[in-house]
Amino acid sequence: MVEVEPSLGKGVANDSSMPSSFSRPKSVNIGALFTFNSVIGRAVKPAIAAAVDDINSNSSLLEGTTINLIFHDTNCSGFLGTMEALQLMEKDVAIAIGPQSSGIAHVISHVVNELHVPLLSLATDPTLSSLQYPYFLRTIQSDYFQMYAIADLVVHYGWREVVAIFVDDDYGRNGISVLGDALAKQRAKISYKAPFPPDASRNDINDLLVEVNLMESRVFIVHVNPDSGLSLFSVAKSLGMISNGYVWIATDWLTSVLDGSGPVDPGTMDLLQGVLALRHHTTDSVQKHSFMSRWKKLKYVGNSSINAYAFYAYDSVWLAASALDSFLKQGGNLTFSSDPVISGSVLNSSLRSLRGGQKLLQTLLGTKHMGLSGDIQFDAEKNLIHPAFDILNIVGTGSNKIGYWSNYSGLSLVTPEILYLKPANKSSSRQQLRSVIWPGQVSKTPRGWIFPNNGKPLQIAVPNRVSYKQFVSADKDPPGAQGYCIDVFEAALKLLPYPVPHNYVLYGNGIRNPEFDNLVYDVAENKFDAAVGDITIVTNRTRIVDFTQPFIESGLVVVASVRKVNSSAWAFLKPFTVQMWCVTGSFFLLVGAAVWILEHRINSEFRGPPSQQLITIFWFSFSTMFFSHRENTLSTLGRFVLLIWLFVVLIINSSYTASLTSILTVQQLSSRIEGIDSLISSNDPIGIQDGSFARDYLVRELNIAESRIKSLKNQEAYLDALQRGPKNGGVAAIVDELPYVQVFLSYSNCNVQIVGQEFTKSGWGFAFQRDSPLAIDLSTAILQLSENGELQRIHNKWLMTGDCSSQSNQAEETRLSLKSFWGLFLICGITCFMALSIFFCRVCYQYSRYAPEVVSQDEIEAAEPVRSRRLSSTSFKDLIDFIDRKEAEIKDFFKRKNSVESSRSQASRSYSLDRDSSSPT
């Protein structure tokens, strides 16, 4: 159907024969291509007509050139829409507006590319790329941004899986494809895609939703056509799917229906209670409200109401008019000429290309316009700037706006226009929305998934162990398996707020332990829903499955045969390490020497011949160990050093006594293998458990030759291999996980022991398929079991072991090293250094005063009858001699020196007076 506005005159029809000095045309043809009997069409038609009327009545725009509007109806048909599009292009339109259909938009985009006619489209299909279609300009926000808004919404509420329900056409498929990409970037996914044909009947939709309802996910994303979308919610309501636990998120089609339908029937609103919907965000302005107030007075309105598409359609016409005005003012020529490509084809030769189309396109891209929807301006990728959406919650007879989404700042409670004035911030702490009333009239955010209601219980693989059956084993009675791991799993399931039907499937032949890597791989390959047992969480397994929170700590240890260590004649040396002995002895000598230096000048007990003084130093040093030193300390500095040292000796003696007592009274065990390092350096065979990850770890991580590794079946094989040893076909040690080893120690009556330290850290968890929400819920349940003590109770029930020492190298552990005492030695060393520094500073000061220039030789000899020397010498030997002198002699010398100097001063003053009195007057 073709409609031409009769009042707008005749369109331009020029050919290449016209002169180059073409004047401004009286009218310009603009085409509008929509399905007018549709939700979108009924809104855009009056908006486009109103825009044309407003422009033609505006004397400042186009300056005498009027717009001739040509309507073509696509009749909601791909074939008819394509034919209508071709007929529209025969009218020599300078700019085309529309279509709304993605399928028709793809076809007509090829046509406008050939004819060089810009197309301003309201199709939201994200695959309509400006790279492929240069003349395609989208004057509404792309579904690319809408899908990223939905992805942010999904992640905001903590959901990780959604079900996509969409119409199976270009619009639906391409939009959902982008949604999948957007979710993947946030580690979420579409767990199930549910397409239906555009002409689907109610029965088709019913069958589809019944199938969807069997899925785990309860988050449904609905991306359908506006004209048929409500029927989907009608069927969902009849199936009880608009109720507690369900989440429905609709794209902008739903708000287009609700906004464009006038007063909505209460029955329709009842279908949508709790649904979240997106709507294209338009700026709240006076211009927008003015247009809305005169909506009912416009042509073609009928019973339709205004929606976002009407705003964008109105702005599209104004954008076209503004660009045409600029184009004509710049001397642009709107002429059409025959296209040789089309003329030589089977198409109608009346299709002609626009000669100035490229320039007009560039003018459109550079045009800026403030419209009803906001800023109309294209970015570098030919998309409208500032993509944003309103997020609505359908409640009662209307909707609540719970927030906004913008590509600039993500989810927010503040309008995007305000956020554009601030620095962009998409941090998770800034993502906020108002409270939501969900389906079922509940305010608590739904979990987003439930156990699938398809009557099929979970198939859970359980290792069919032949050893260490305390952890997991087959059971003739229901549920078919028993053990520590099974009890933990069943206890965790009881804490879940929903039932989880499940069956245990034994994995393995029952002759040897199964390969746990293969078990995990089968879960990843969907052969089983989960695996429950003593499954170690290691890196290569976490790459293919999801594990729960560990329910028991684990790690590899080395187990070896041990022998009793009898006490020896040198047992008294064992409490300290060699380093500790050396440092302690050094400090005995250091402190002894320091005290001797500090006491030598004032204490006669620290004087005498050199040999006697050396003996005194050694005797005093080591006698402090027993607090039996006979020498008295007289100097303040010496007493201070000795006080600190005696405190250190007290701590060392106490520690030595305690360690020696432990070594002599506790039974000691020793092994030729001291830990994983000594095991690696040897060439002896190493035993591991069947199916354990230890083989790969030893070979790949520790570079142990695989020929050295022997797989052992059970505890009997463990004990036998260790007792025979490497020379008799056994093994030097066994590498296994700590929970197994603790059970094995009791089995062996403590004849074997753990040597060295645990050299890996890991844990056991339950394995589920990737992104299984059950893994998350069970992790929470396991934490609850740990907090309430139930996990320990289950451990005590199955894994109570005998009282075996877990370490054989107790002697090594009880030996005291310098690490435990270096702080004490540091304090003592600093004390000695400070005391000696003060002492030598005092001596140097005395020595600087010890100058004999003013003292006669006779006086010095009288003062020092024992020793005579040339005191003016300042050699190092003199300094040492000075230090060696008694403190009392030095003080006595200074006293005599002061007396002599005083006498000389008095004689000098008397002599001066005598001279003054004898001189003539």
Side-chain angles (χ1 to χ4, degrees):
M1 181 182 70
V2 181
E3 292 185 37
V4 181
E5 290 290 286
S7 61
L8 300 181
K10 189 176 181 180
V12 177
N14 301 312
D15 56 30
S16 58
S17 62
M18 288 189 174
S20 59
S21 59
F22 176 69
S23 60
R24 178 185 287 268
K26 293 183 179 181
S27 64
V28 178
N29 287 345
I30 290 182
L33 187 68
F34 290 93
T35 298
F36 294 113
N37 188 23
S38 66
V39 171
I40 294 176
R42 286 190 291 268
V44 301
K45 186 173 182 179
I48 291 175
V52 172
D53 289 341
D54 293 345
I55 292 168
N56 287 337
S57 62
N58 189 335
S59 59
S60 63
L61 192 63
L62 290 175
E63 297 179 357
T65 300
T66 58
I67 292 179
N68 185 35
L69 180 61
I70 304 174
F71 286 117
H72 272 254
D73 196 337
T74 59
N75 292 302
C76 201
S77 168
F79 174 74
L80 294 178
T82 302
M83 299 306 297
E84 291 289 340
L86 293 174
Q87 292 178 19
L88 175 64
M89 302 312 295
E90 291 178 354
K91 304 297 192 300
D92 290 342
V93 294
I95 296 176
I97 300 176
Q100 70 204 62
S101 167
S102 298
I104 300 174
H106 278 278
V107 175
I108 195 174
S109 293
H110 289 286
V111 177
V112 296
N113 282 352
E114 183 64 32
L115 300 181
H116 300 167
V117 175
L119 176 65
L120 306 182
S121 177
L122 298 185
T124 58
D125 184 352
T127 63
L128 287 165
S129 169
S130 60
L131 296 176
Q132 182 181 5
Y133 307 116
Y135 283 84
F136 174 86
L137 297 179
R138 196 193 320 270
T139 53
I140 196 170
Q141 299 298 346
S142 170
D143 279 342
Y144 174 89
F145 301 106
Q146 181 171 207
M147 295 307 167
Y148 272 82
I150 291 177
D152 284 351
L153 194 61
V154 168
V155 174
H156 175 74
Y157 288 111
W159 304 314
R160 292 298 173 185
E161 293 187 8
V162 303
V163 173
I165 304 173
F166 59 97
V167 61
D168 193 14
D169 60 9
D170 290 341
Y171 161 77
R173 287 191 302 269
N174 296 333
I176 294 302
S177 176
V178 174
L179 175 62
D181 295 339
L183 289 171
K185 290 183 178 180
Q186 308 219 43
R187 299 192 64 185
K189 69 175 184 179
I190 299 175
S191 61
Y192 185 74
K193 293 182 179 181
F196 61 90
D199 57 349
S201 65
R202 185 179 178 87
N203 289 335
D204 293 335
I205 296 176
N206 184 84
D207 295 341
L208 179 73
L209 291 183
V210 168
E211 184 177 358
V212 163
N213 204 31
L214 298 178
M215 302 296 111
E216 289 184 359
S217 176
R218 282 296 180 264
V219 182
F220 302 133
I221 311 299
V222 184
H223 187 53
V224 298
N225 291 322
D227 300 282
S228 58
L230 289 179
S231 60
L232 184 143
F233 281 100
S234 176
V235 175
K237 180 71 173 180
S238 66
L239 294 175
M241 297 174 67
I242 313 293
S243 58
N244 188 13
Y246 289 86
V247 177
W248 293 87
I249 302 176
T251 54
D252 68 291
W253 68 267
L254 180 57
T255 52
S256 298
V257 173
L258 298 180
D259 293 341
S261 302
V264 183
D265 179 45
T268 300
M269 297 303 296
D270 185 57
L271 303 175
L272 305 172
Q273 294 300 299
V275 173
L276 297 184
L278 273 68
R279 178 171 62 195
H280 288 276
H281 177 73
T282 55
T283 304
D284 195 15
S285 63
V286 175
Q287 183 183 3
K288 173 182 170 182
H289 285 286
S290 176
F291 181 76
M292 294 172 64
S293 64
R294 63 189 183 99
W295 174 260
K296 289 299 181 180
K297 302 176 183 178
L298 301 179
K299 294 182 295 184
Y300 310 119
V301 168
N303 294 325
S304 65
S305 295
I306 196 169
N307 59 28
Y309 282 86
F311 298 136
Y312 282 105
Y314 184 90
D315 291 343
S316 298
V317 179
W318 271 90
L319 176 67
S322 300
L324 285 170
D325 185 53
S326 299
F327 177 78
L328 294 174
K329 287 180 178 178
Q330 296 169 7
N333 195 348
L334 293 175
T335 59
F336 293 84
S337 61
S338 299
D339 191 318
V341 176
I342 297 176
S343 299
S345 67
V346 296
L347 291 174
N348 194 325
S349 59
S350 59
L351 288 174
R352 300 192 299 174
S353 61
L354 179 61
R355 297 182 64 182
Q358 179 63 33
K359 183 177 179 181
L360 179 58
L361 175 64
Q362 296 304 318
T363 304
L364 279 166
L365 292 174
T367 300
K368 300 180 181 179
H369 174 68
M370 176 56 72
L372 303 180
S373 58
D375 287 333
I376 304 297
Q377 181 182 344
F378 295 102
D379 60 17
E381 297 180 356
K382 299 182 181 179
N383 291 316
L384 290 181
I385 63 172
H386 301 325
F389 293 87
D390 300 337
I391 303 174
L392 307 179
N393 178 208
I394 312 300
V395 180
T397 58
S399 60
N400 295 334
K401 187 181 295 183
I402 62 172
Y404 306 88
W405 180 93
S406 68
N407 193 46
Y408 188 74
S409 296
L411 302 172
S412 70
L413 300 175
V414 183
T415 58
E417 288 77 18
I418 296 177
L419 296 177
Y420 296 147
L421 303 176
K422 302 177 182 179
N425 189 343
K426 285 190 176 182
S427 61
S428 58
S429 61
R430 294 295 184 94
Q431 307 300 296
Q432 296 179 344
L433 293 173
R434 296 183 179 88
S435 59
V436 177
I437 302 299
W438 303 98
Q441 301 296 310
V442 296
S443 57
K444 182 181 179 181
T445 302
R447 186 172 59 248
W449 77 282
I450 63 169
F451 190 80
N453 188 25
N454 54 11
K456 181 182 177 182
L458 287 178
Q459 300 300 303
I460 299 178
V462 175
N464 190 10
R465 298 192 60 90
V466 297
S467 62
Y468 299 110
K469 293 187 176 183
Q470 300 95 325
F471 295 101
V472 61
S473 64
D475 187 12
K476 296 180 180 179
D477 299 326
Q482 63 178 354
Y484 168 72
C485 300
I486 300 299
D487 279 8
V488 172
F489 182 71
E490 292 289 343
L493 288 182
K494 291 179 181 178
L495 296 179
L496 299 182
Y498 49 87
V500 181
H502 58 281
N503 293 328
Y504 292 123
V505 181
L506 294 177
Y507 188 89
N509 55 20
I511 300 174
R512 300 189 76 95
N513 291 331
E515 289 290 336
F516 282 72
D517 282 342
N518 295 338
L519 171 60
V520 173
Y521 182 78
D522 286 346
V523 173
E525 290 294 302
N526 203 24
K527 295 180 180 179
F528 301 100
D529 297 303
V532 170
D534 46 338
I535 306 170
T536 307
I537 304 172
V538 293
T539 304
N540 64 317
R541 295 174 183 173
T542 58
R543 293 191 180 105
I544 58 176
V545 298
D546 282 348
F547 281 95
T548 63
Q549 169 82 15
F551 57 87
I552 188 172
E553 292 184 357
S554 180
L556 291 177
V557 294
V558 178
V559 181
S561 297
V562 294
R563 61 182 177 84
K564 295 182 179 179
V565 179
N566 297 321
S567 180
S568 68
W570 304 100
F572 68 90
L573 296 175
K574 290 183 178 180
F576 287 166
T577 62
V578 175
Q579 185 186 37
M580 182 64 182
W581 279 117
C582 293
V583 173
T584 303
S586 300
F587 264 82
F588 271 109
L589 296 176
L590 172 64
V591 173
V595 172
W596 177 84
I597 292 173
L598 297 172
E599 294 289 322
H600 177 70
R601 303 185 76 197
I602 63 175
N603 195 336
S604 60
E605 295 183 2
F606 287 87
R607 299 186 65 84
S611 59
Q612 181 180 346
Q613 295 183 48
L614 186 62
I615 292 172
T616 300
I617 291 174
F618 276 92
W619 164 252
F620 181 82
S621 299
F622 291 102
S623 63
T624 57
M625 180 185 300
F626 311 103
F627 305 98
S628 60
H629 51 283
R630 295 176 299 180
E631 294 79 6
N632 293 320
T633 53
L634 302 178
S635 69
T636 303
L637 292 175
R639 291 176 176 178
F640 179 63
V641 169
L642 185 61
L643 177 65
I644 298 299
W645 174 241
L646 291 178
F647 174 74
V648 174
V649 170
L650 176 64
I651 300 299
I652 292 176
N653 278 344
S654 301
S655 302
Y656 175 86
T657 303
S659 179
L660 183 61
T661 302
S662 174
I663 291 173
L664 295 179
T665 57
V666 178
Q667 177 180 317
Q668 302 297 319
L669 304 174
S670 70
S671 170
R672 184 172 59 86
I673 302 298
E674 297 179 352
I676 187 61
D677 292 331
S678 61
L679 191 60
I680 293 173
S681 61
S682 71
N683 292 318
D684 296 332
I686 303 172
I688 64 168
Q689 184 183 168
D690 263 352
S692 172
F693 77 98
R695 176 185 294 275
D696 287 342
Y697 182 84
L698 295 177
V699 173
R700 296 179 183 176
E701 302 296 331
L702 303 182
N703 297 318
I704 295 176
E706 193 167 3
S707 59
R708 293 178 55 192
I709 300 175
K710 292 186 177 182
S711 294
L712 302 176
K713 182 178 179 181
N714 50 33
Q715 296 100 309
E716 292 85 351
Y718 273 26
L719 189 58
D720 178 66
L722 289 173
Q723 290 174 345
R724 285 190 288 122
K727 295 182 179 179
N728 298 316
V731 297
I734 290 173
V735 174
D736 206 349
E737 296 180 74
L738 184 59
Y740 301 124
V741 169
Q742 290 173 337
V743 174
F744 176 59
L745 292 180
S746 296
Y747 174 82
S748 67
N749 295 320
C750 304
N751 291 325
V752 297
Q753 291 294 327
I754 297 173
V755 293
Q757 300 296 321
E758 190 176 359
F759 58 93
T760 67
K761 289 291 184 181
S762 58
W764 292 354
F766 305 130
F768 289 85
Q769 295 175 10
R770 295 287 287 182
D771 300 320
S772 172
L774 194 57
I776 299 174
D777 286 359
L778 276 177
S779 293
T780 304
I782 289 172
L783 290 175
Q784 293 178 5
L785 291 177
S786 177
E787 292 170 357
N788 62 24
E790 182 67 13
L791 204 59
Q792 185 62 42
R793 189 195 65 78
I794 298 173
H795 181 278
N796 295 340
K797 172 185 175 183
W798 290 97
L799 305 180
M800 285 297 291
T801 57
D803 186 17
C804 286
S805 174
S806 62
Q807 295 291 336
S808 67
N809 56 345
Q810 294 166 350
E812 287 296 322
E813 290 187 349
T814 55
R815 297 187 73 181
L816 302 174
S817 66
L818 182 61
K819 180 180 179 181
S820 303
F821 298 94
W822 70 269
L824 287 173
F825 288 126
L826 178 63
I827 294 173
C828 185
I830 293 175
T831 302
C832 291
F833 175 78
M834 293 173 59
L836 292 174
S837 298
I838 295 173
F839 172 79
F840 282 114
C841 289
R842 182 171 174 270
V843 168
C844 290
Y845 173 72
Q846 289 179 342
Y847 184 70
S848 66
R849 295 177 57 204
Y850 196 70
E853 291 84 352
V854 297
V855 183
S856 66
Q857 185 67 28
D858 295 339
E859 291 171 336
I860 296 175
E861 290 176 356
E864 304 178 63
V866 179
R867 190 175 299 184
S868 175
R869 66 174 60 209
R870 185 186 173 110
L871 297 176
S872 59
S873 173
T874 58
S875 66
F876 180 74
K877 183 176 180 299
D878 293 336
L879 176 61
I880 297 300
D881 291 341
F882 177 77
I883 296 174
D884 189 54
R885 301 186 67 173
K886 291 184 177 181
E887 182 76 13
E889 295 178 5
I890 301 299
K891 291 181 178 180
D892 185 59
F893 171 77
F894 285 136
K895 183 177 180 181
R896 291 177 177 272
K897 179 180 177 180
N898 292 335
S899 177
V900 171
E901 288 179 350
S902 176
S903 299
R904 287 185 175 183
S905 178
Q906 291 178 1
S908 176
R909 287 196 296 270
S910 299
Y911 176 76
S912 298
L913 291 173
D914 292 341
R915 288 189 61 185
D916 292 341
S917 61
S918 62
S919 61
T921 57

